[in-house]
Amino acid sequence: MVIVTMFSSTVMVTMFSSAVMVTKFSSAMRTILCLLFLRILYPVSALPYSSPQAPNYLPGYPDEWAFTTRQQGEPAPNVDYREVMKDIVEVMTNSRDFWPADNGNYGPLFIRLTWHNTGSYRTSDGRGGADGARQRFEPERSWADNTNLDKARALLWPIKQKYGQGLSWGDLFVLAGNAAFESMGGPYFGFCGGRIDADDGSESVQLGPSPEQEVLMPCKVAGKCQEPLGANDIGLIYVNPEGHMGIPDPVATARHVREVFARMDMNDSETVALMGGGHSFGGTHGACPAGAGPSPREDPVNPWPGLCGSGKGYDAFTSGFEFAFTTHPTTFDVEYFKNLINFDWQVHVGPGGRFQWKPILSEGMDSPTAPTNDGRYPRRYVGALTSDIALTKDEAYKKLVELYASDQKLFNRAWSHAWYKLTTRDMGPRTRCSNDDAPPPQWFQYPLPDPPAQLANFEEVKQKLVEVLDDDTGEAIGMFTRLAWQCSSTFRSTDYLGGCNGARIRFSPQKDWAVNINVVSAIDTLEPIKEEFGENLSWADLIILAGNTALEKAGGKSLKFCGGRTDATDGKGSEHLHPKIAGKFSESLVQLKDSMVQLKDSIGILSLTQREFAALNGAGYAVGDSRDCDGLFCQRNSFQTAVTSYERPYSTTSTLSNTFFLTLLSERWDKFTIPDTGKQMYKARGKNLLMLPTDYLFLLDPELLAIVQDFAADNDLFLSVVASAWTKLSNVDRFKGPTGNVCDQ
């Protein structure tokens, strides 16, 4: 090693290159190996992909930026989104010295802003997306992929100031991309408004990097992150554009492009359309190897100043790549696809020190170039990322590239629909859109049929339910409450999917989940009532009303019922809604702190407070199902054996009370394995009393323990919280605009 370091870098490269060339590698592999060696020899410093995370800062703006049509902070309850888009276009073509616009147009920058806000969405838990506008906060604002987007947000501040609280940052971020595309010739499908800004970045903590993310969804190897994480590297929106694990291998990268885009529910045609549409414009920036400089977290006063020359304009460093995607960087067309097909491509290391691709030119052929800002600088060469070249190395992707290259109208349609899905996927059903001119419900919003034109007389339905409960020995109370709980507890506050409206529990995949074992018995019991009232009574209303009636029969407080639900015709939209809390966590009990993080995270996704969840968990313990049961609404001793007959070695209860909390505090608990099933539980010392691992966690956390003690001391308080929490969860999916609920009337 000492001898090697004495050689000049030129000698080292020559020796390495000679060794590679005599080895039996393909020419492409020899090129890649040589380039990798160059990377080692000339390391790139301060690259944004390794930037730490960050607080929020917007640099000062010149006074003349401010619009003065409305007093600052005055809300604008009826924002005209078209007027907002006009204001965005005005800003878009007015280049500012603090961050000069490429080609005099901020459109490509705004498209990147929109894409990187919305592209963080993932189906695994519904987190991410532009709703909340959390890119303003840590950890998202300091993600490597969000380098220099603080400048884009700064450019939009005067518009936010003009419209006040009536225009959310989240809506503004999406409108910025929409306005940019439309003004540069792109198709416009529509806009769903009503995003609600978050107060901080706490809802993005699980996206990482953070201790919570490491507990809930660890990534053992950077670049190989698995679901439920969205990207395959923390801090990236999708994949490493340089190639998987930083290796410019288009074939391997294509596999990871498909996998990562699928995590946000994008199919092949949507993936290719989105990549091609986004790369119809603009280019990349990596003027030198020095990097972008410290992130906002590292330097909130002067984040990402750029360490190449002036750090802006021709000297900008954002991603570390340096080229234009097309020869017309402010025009929406299919040149991106044509370039991929018409050129052969060669990998090389760009001036920013990253692997990128350039066309292989025939003799006498000029390299395609794009104009720069004002002609003072050389024209930019057209290039591509490894993730772009990957689209030509996968047969399915390549067919789509060829299809879009040959048909602008087809591409326009594919792009506009995919873009609308990308920007709207985290908004939930169409009924949450604030604007009447939003597009009609799309398939990815899982629209429901209209409710029955004439609703059933719910008092008569309730009387029929009471008759069933009166004729029963107590088991129907458990069956009905569990069915309603399992139906409602699919709700996710992160992307507003799930809930009992639609009654998708009747279909796959929900009816096949292990946690829903035997709910069909409750549905069968309700079938005669459904048949009697026919189309005027939806299954969704019947399931909720049955749960309400059962809780009241068990001694609960009177529950207000809000009818008007409707029934889905299939189970689509449930694929990622499997309940996160089913009483388990046993595999993590050696790490009780980790289990607590999982429990509290799941409670938050349900849109419940810890107190509300504790009350409903206690209700499930007291009056839950007692045969072939799984989940929280099961009487715990029913797990002692796999019950298949009406004979059981324990007594069932049908009285709603605070017994769960009293029992939990009164006994000492030891780990216990059910002999017949291997189910992990906790058993009271010297008594035949069982608790789920989830139950046991209530003793170990000070906040949860305080709630347990409150309910143990006051049964009426417990019953009151059960009533309010049950009603809240039953109605949480009855949307009327972004924040309204039809049941609040």
Side-chain angles (χ1 to χ4, degrees):
M1 180 64 71
V2 175
I3 297 174
V4 171
T5 58
M6 293 172 62
F7 290 138
S8 71
S9 59
T10 303
V11 173
M12 290 178 66
V13 172
T14 302
M15 291 177 62
F16 179 80
S17 300
S18 299
V20 169
M21 293 308 171
V22 299
T23 308
K24 293 182 179 180
F25 291 121
S26 68
S27 60
M29 184 56 70
R30 287 199 298 269
T31 301
I32 290 173
L33 287 172
C34 288
L35 291 172
L36 282 171
F37 183 71
L38 286 172
R39 170 67 66 79
I40 295 170
L41 191 62
Y42 302 108
V44 180
S45 63
L47 290 177
Y49 284 119
S50 60
S51 295
Q53 312 309 301
N56 187 37
Y57 169 77
L58 290 177
Y61 318 105
D63 292 339
E64 66 269 17
W65 284 24
F67 293 85
T68 56
T69 56
R70 182 179 290 119
Q71 291 183 358
Q72 183 175 359
E74 181 184 342
N78 297 307
V79 171
D80 185 331
Y81 294 127
R82 270 292 173 185
E83 290 300 314
V84 176
M85 291 174 68
K86 290 179 182 178
D87 289 339
I88 292 170
V89 171
E90 182 180 337
V91 169
M92 200 169 69
T93 53
N94 187 7
S95 183
R96 298 293 179 177
D97 289 340
F98 88 97
W99 191 253
D102 289 347
N103 304 107
N105 193 320
Y106 289 115
L109 176 66
F110 287 170
I111 289 168
R112 178 170 169 254
L113 174 73
T114 304
W115 198 327
H116 286 219
N117 270 278
T118 59
S120 59
Y121 174 80
R122 61 194 190 194
T123 58
S124 59
D125 58 8
R127 286 195 168 91
D131 191 22
R134 291 178 294 274
Q135 192 194 81
R136 298 169 297 150
F137 309 117
E138 293 302 330
E140 289 187 57
R141 76 166 184 159
S142 289
W143 280 358
D145 256 6
N146 291 336
T147 300
N148 288 328
L149 288 180
D150 55 333
K151 284 77 170 177
R153 297 192 297 270
L155 289 163
L156 292 174
W157 162 244
I159 298 175
K160 180 68 173 77
Q161 184 182 32
K162 172 182 177 179
Y163 290 94
Q165 295 303 309
L167 175 64
S168 68
W169 276 109
D171 280 346
L172 180 55
F173 290 159
V174 174
L175 287 168
N178 288 359
F181 269 112
E182 189 176 33
S183 69
M184 293 187 291
Y188 180 71
F189 184 70
F191 174 72
C192 170
R195 291 162 186 81
I196 304 167
D197 288 341
D199 294 328
D200 53 41
S202 57
E203 293 179 40
S204 294
V205 167
Q206 292 86 345
L207 301 180
S210 68
E212 291 85 351
Q213 168 258 314
E214 285 298 324
V215 169
L216 295 168
M217 46 209 73
C219 178
K220 296 180 180 179
V221 180
K224 294 184 178 181
C225 303
Q226 303 296 314
E227 238 181 333
L229 290 169
N232 61 10
D233 203 345
I234 302 296
L236 301 187
I237 301 300
Y238 302 117
V239 299
N240 186 341
E242 195 174 17
H244 182 55
M245 302 300 292
I247 299 173
D249 180 352
V251 175
T253 299
R255 293 194 295 268
H256 289 276
V257 167
R258 177 172 286 110
E259 176 191 344
V260 169
F261 271 76
R263 296 181 196 178
M264 52 184 301
D265 197 29
M266 294 294 175
N267 61 29
D268 283 359
S269 62
E270 292 165 333
T271 299
V272 176
L274 286 171
M275 291 179 66
H279 291 176
S280 292
F281 306 107
T284 59
H285 295 279
C288 77
S295 70
R297 183 177 185 178
E298 297 168 309
D299 185 359
V301 176
N302 187 29
W304 290 316
L307 305 180
C308 306
S310 67
K312 57 188 179 181
Y314 194 75
D315 295 328
F317 188 108
T318 295
S319 62
F321 308 101
E322 181 62 45
F323 58 83
F325 284 109
T326 71
T327 59
H328 305 287
T330 58
T331 301
F332 185 84
D333 54 27
V334 294
E335 182 189 337
Y336 167 83
F337 297 117
K338 290 181 177 179
N339 287 344
L340 289 179
I341 295 170
N342 294 337
F343 290 114
D344 291 324
W345 295 84
Q346 179 181 5
V347 67
H348 70 110
V349 175
R354 293 203 174 279
F355 291 122
Q356 57 189 53
W357 296 72
K358 61 183 178 181
I360 298 176
L361 304 174
S362 303
E363 185 176 351
M365 185 177 180
D366 292 332
S367 179
T369 60
T372 52
N373 285 356
D374 54 12
R376 289 182 299 169
Y377 301 105
R379 291 174 67 89
R380 303 184 74 199
Y381 288 103
V382 169
L385 303 166
T386 301
S387 52
D388 297 319
I389 303 301
L391 299 183
T392 68
K393 303 301 180 182
D394 176 277
E395 284 303 314
Y397 284 160
K398 186 176 181 181
K399 289 179 181 178
L400 288 163
V401 169
E402 294 170 342
L403 185 64
Y404 294 152
S406 63
D407 193 331
Q408 178 79 58
K409 289 184 178 180
L410 178 65
F411 173 55
N412 286 355
R413 176 175 172 79
W415 157 258
S416 61
H417 282 76
W419 179 257
Y420 184 69
K421 178 181 177 182
L422 174 73
T423 57
T424 313
R425 188 68 169 83
D426 63 331
M427 289 288 287
R430 166 64 175 77
T431 50
R432 292 197 66 253
C433 299
S434 61
N435 50 317
D436 294 335
D437 62 349
Q442 302 297 298
W443 68 266
F444 64 84
Q445 296 170 310
Y446 309 112
L448 291 169
D450 291 334
Q454 179 67 44
L455 297 179
N457 185 319
F458 292 118
E459 285 300 321
E460 294 180 4
V461 177
K462 185 173 183 179
Q463 184 56 44
K464 294 294 182 181
L465 290 166
V466 170
E467 291 174 7
V468 173
L469 293 168
D470 285 343
D471 292 340
D472 184 72
T473 59
E475 290 180 355
I477 288 178
M479 288 196 300
F480 291 173
T481 54
R482 176 171 173 249
L483 175 63
W485 163 262
Q486 294 301 127
C487 191
S488 298
S489 63
T490 56
F491 179 75
R492 296 198 310 199
S493 62
T494 48
D495 58 359
Y496 310 99
L497 297 181
C500 200
N501 196 11
R504 292 184 173 95
I505 197 171
R506 298 168 297 135
F507 304 111
S508 295
Q510 288 195 34
K511 73 181 184 66
D512 305 317
W513 293 341
V515 74
N516 284 339
I517 182 175
N518 202 37
V519 295
V520 67
S521 296
I523 293 174
D524 289 344
T525 303
L526 294 174
E527 182 74 42
I529 299 177
K530 177 66 175 75
E531 290 181 355
E532 180 175 346
F533 289 89
E535 295 181 355
N536 294 343
L537 176 64
S538 68
W539 269 109
D541 274 344
L542 179 56
I543 289 171
I544 295 299
L545 187 54
N548 286 11
T549 306
L551 280 179
E552 292 175 352
K553 178 72 172 177
K557 293 184 178 293
S558 177
L559 298 171
K560 182 180 179 181
F561 176 73
C562 174
R565 294 168 184 81
T566 183
D567 291 336
T569 57
D570 54 44
K572 292 178 180 177
S574 301
E575 292 80 4
H576 302 281
L577 301 182
H578 191 286
K580 296 294 189 294
I581 314 175
K584 297 184 175 65
F585 297 130
S586 57
E587 67 278 2
S588 302
L589 282 176
V590 293
Q591 299 174 306
L592 296 176
K593 182 179 179 181
D594 291 358
S595 296
M596 201 69 68
V597 171
Q598 293 175 16
L599 177 62
K600 291 188 175 184
D601 179 69
S602 300
I603 293 171
I605 290 176
L606 264 177
S607 194
L608 295 174
T609 66
Q610 294 178 26
R611 181 173 292 267
E612 290 168 335
F613 175 80
L616 294 177
N617 187 67
Y621 176 94
V623 298
D625 205 351
S626 56
R627 180 187 297 110
D628 292 342
C629 192
D630 196 12
L632 302 184
F633 262 72
C634 300
Q635 297 191 27
R636 305 308 191 245
N637 280 22
S638 68
F639 294 116
Q640 287 184 89
T641 184
V643 179
T644 57
S645 69
Y646 284 91
E647 297 179 1
R648 54 178 62 82
Y650 54 87
S651 60
T652 61
T653 62
S654 57
T655 301
L656 181 62
S657 71
N658 60 353
T659 181
F660 167 73
F661 307 99
L662 293 169
T663 304
L664 193 62
L665 293 173
S666 301
E667 308 296 337
R668 300 190 67 181
W669 303 91
D670 298 313
K671 291 181 181 179
F672 179 72
T673 301
I674 304 296
D676 293 344
T677 63
K679 188 177 182 67
Q680 300 296 308
M681 298 194 72
Y682 280 76
K683 188 174 184 295
R685 292 184 184 178
K687 295 184 180 180
N688 192 26
L689 296 172
L690 297 177
M691 289 284 178
L692 292 167
T694 304
D695 302 330
Y696 184 67
L697 290 178
F698 278 82
L699 292 175
L700 308 179
D701 179 80
E703 296 172 355
L704 296 179
L705 178 59
I707 296 169
V708 169
Q709 293 168 336
D710 285 347
F711 287 152
D714 192 334
N715 186 59
D716 190 67
L717 173 65
F718 163 68
L719 295 178
S720 295
V721 178
V722 168
S724 60
W726 180 271
T727 301
K728 174 183 176 180
L729 189 61
S730 299
N731 297 338
V732 70
D733 57 349
R734 307 292 304 282
F735 306 112
K736 185 181 180 182
T739 60
N741 191 293
V742 298
C743 296
D744 292 340
Q745 299 176 357

